[in-house]
Amino acid sequence: LDYEAKTGIRMTYEALSRRTDISIDTLKSMASRDDYNSSLKNIASICDAIHCNPIEYLNWNSTKDET
């Protein structure tokens, strides 16, 4: 998600942290680690802060064998 491209507003980790009460370290981990397992609470907080629908950004990868 490129918030700045969509809105023209530059969102820093610090600004997002203030809007969501999520620590800057957690936000940086969420942004940089492919294997980061975020809580739905954090995802909902971010989506509320930047006015997006989480369904547009979540993917389901089943670990169940589908044979």
Side-chain angles (χ1 to χ4, degrees):
L1 172 66
D2 191 342
Y3 184 76
E4 185 175 7
K6 288 179 85 172
T7 65
I9 299 169
R10 186 170 190 278
M11 180 67 67
T12 64
Y13 288 118
E14 292 80 7
L16 188 56
S17 178
R18 283 192 302 273
R19 288 186 181 195
T20 61
D21 290 327
I22 300 171
S23 75
I24 293 170
D25 287 338
T26 297
L27 291 170
K28 287 181 178 182
S29 291
M30 291 173 71
S32 64
R33 291 179 34 207
D34 288 337
D35 63 343
Y36 189 84
N37 189 10
S38 181
S39 70
L40 290 177
K41 180 181 176 185
N42 283 352
I43 293 168
S45 294
I46 292 168
C47 287
D48 285 345
I50 64 172
H51 310 292
C52 74
N53 185 338
I55 297 300
E56 297 173 17
Y57 302 99
L58 297 176
N59 293 319
W60 178 261
N61 293 320
S62 178
T63 57
K64 188 177 179 180
D65 186 10
E66 296 185 23
T67 57

